[in-house]
Amino acid sequence: MPRVLLSSPDQKALLRLEPDPNGQWWTLTHTRESGRPAWYASFGARTPVELIAAVTDALTDPAPAATAPSDPYEPLQQLAWTPPAIGADGLVSPDGTVYVQRLGSTQEPRPWFVTAKLGRDRPMWQARFDAHTPPRLITAFTTALADPHPIARIDGLRSLPTLDPNIVTRESTNVLAVRVATALEDRVRSLAARRASPPTSPVASRQPPAKNNRRR
């Protein structure tokens, strides 16, 4: 069973993969910093990797978009997610498989829970966000969660395990082997390119020529 431990360059963030049959597999923790208490996020084993990557991409983005929605519910509402019942908290996907909610009293910071189920008694995975998790990270997750674009998976019934094939629309396409082999390297290069470039040295302004009292 793989175990992975990654820390940020400033040692403030820690991403841990700890396979646990009875718990969350991925855990992202962040130490306290000015103006924000320590926080954490965790993801179950079957959480689609694209959703976890959306959070880590947002966390490591050196220049977050100022126009990104700050309300994690907003990307879901734009794609017809609705409350589970009149007056109930949270939103449910149109197919009824995913429920996003906040728990606790409205008088204090509340954690977020994202739960995917097949029917009432068949939980698939759960993502949990501490009450102090930066909203932009949760919004990155819900944006990826509601993304209608297809995701890439290796074809074949054995390599594509599905607990309910009736809710999955499959479309096959041929991909060059070289693109598959270099996919990870291409992604790493793309993320590394986001780093803010160092500021250019200011060009020294030219001084006006010295004046003298000569006259022609």
Side-chain angles (χ1 to χ4, degrees):
M1 301 295 285
R3 284 174 171 78
V4 178
L5 189 63
L6 299 175
S7 60
S8 60
D10 60 7
Q11 302 298 304
K12 291 183 178 180
L14 188 67
L15 178 64
R16 180 191 301 272
L17 169 60
E18 192 76 26
D20 179 0
N22 300 315
Q24 302 289 85
W25 280 36
W26 293 90
T27 304
L28 174 63
T29 56
H30 199 288
T31 60
R32 176 189 300 271
E33 55 186 350
S34 178
R36 185 181 299 278
W39 56 267
Y40 79 91
S42 65
F43 311 93
R46 293 192 181 95
T47 307
V49 294
E50 290 82 3
L51 305 185
I52 303 174
V55 175
T56 57
D57 287 356
L59 176 67
T60 58
D61 191 347
T67 57
S70 58
D71 181 4
Y73 283 140
E74 183 175 338
L76 307 176
Q77 292 169 332
Q78 292 177 354
L79 290 173
W81 289 50
T82 56
I86 298 178
D89 180 55
L91 295 175
V92 175
S93 61
D95 62 7
T97 60
V98 186
Y99 183 23
V100 179
Q101 64 182 143
R102 302 185 75 179
L103 299 180
S105 170
T106 58
Q107 306 302 320
E108 57 186 18
R110 296 184 294 162
W112 292 79
F113 290 83
V114 183
T115 306
K117 289 186 176 182
L118 294 177
R120 291 180 176 271
D121 303 319
R122 298 181 66 188
M124 292 281 292
W125 54 263
Q126 187 176 75
R128 307 168 187 170
F129 296 92
D130 179 77
H132 302 291
T133 303
R136 68 183 181 90
L137 302 186
I138 308 174
T139 301
F141 185 92
T142 57
T143 299
L145 178 64
D147 189 345
H149 294 90
I151 57 177
R153 291 291 186 270
I154 297 175
D155 197 11
L157 293 178
R158 291 186 178 181
S159 58
L160 184 63
T162 303
L163 296 184
D164 188 350
N166 295 323
I167 66 171
V168 177
T169 301
R170 295 177 51 176
E171 179 180 343
S172 298
T173 183
N174 294 324
V175 179
L176 294 176
V178 65
R179 290 184 57 187
V180 177
T182 61
L184 177 59
E185 290 77 4
D186 292 344
R187 172 169 163 76
V188 171
R189 282 193 294 268
S190 175
L191 292 176
R194 302 180 313 168
R195 295 177 182 173
S197 57
T200 56
S201 301
V203 178
S205 59
R206 294 184 178 181
Q207 298 295 327
K211 294 182 179 180
N212 54 46
N213 295 323
R214 291 185 185 180
R215 293 174 181 263
R216 291 189 178 181

